[in-house]
Amino acid sequence: MLLKTGLRQQMKKHKEDLLVIVGGAALFLFGFLDPGLGWLFQASGVLLFVWGCATLYVNVKSGEPQ
């Protein structure tokens, strides 16, 4: 139970970073639905996903969200 509360607190603390990661993954998957501009959605989805992972890593390492 302690692990769940700690994880829940971390998720609340880094909510914005997790939202960027989920948004990037969603854009990447949406790119498969659009035949014309799919490459644009996939590229922006990958960039958002990497950006979210990088900011989450930096915030977790520093100990406080920015």
Side-chain angles (χ1 to χ4, degrees), residues 8-52:
R8 189 171 290 150
Q9 288 174 351
Q10 288 293 327
M11 287 177 66
K12 284 182 181 179
K13 188 186 291 185
H14 303 290
K15 182 174 36 177
E16 293 85 13
D17 298 332
L18 295 173
L19 185 63
V20 170
I21 291 171
V22 169
L27 265 176
F28 179 75
L29 292 176
F30 182 72
F32 289 108
L33 297 176
D34 189 10
L37 291 176
W39 62 271
L40 180 65
F41 289 119
Q42 289 174 352
S44 59
V46 168
L47 287 175
L48 272 176
F49 184 80
V50 169
W51 180 271

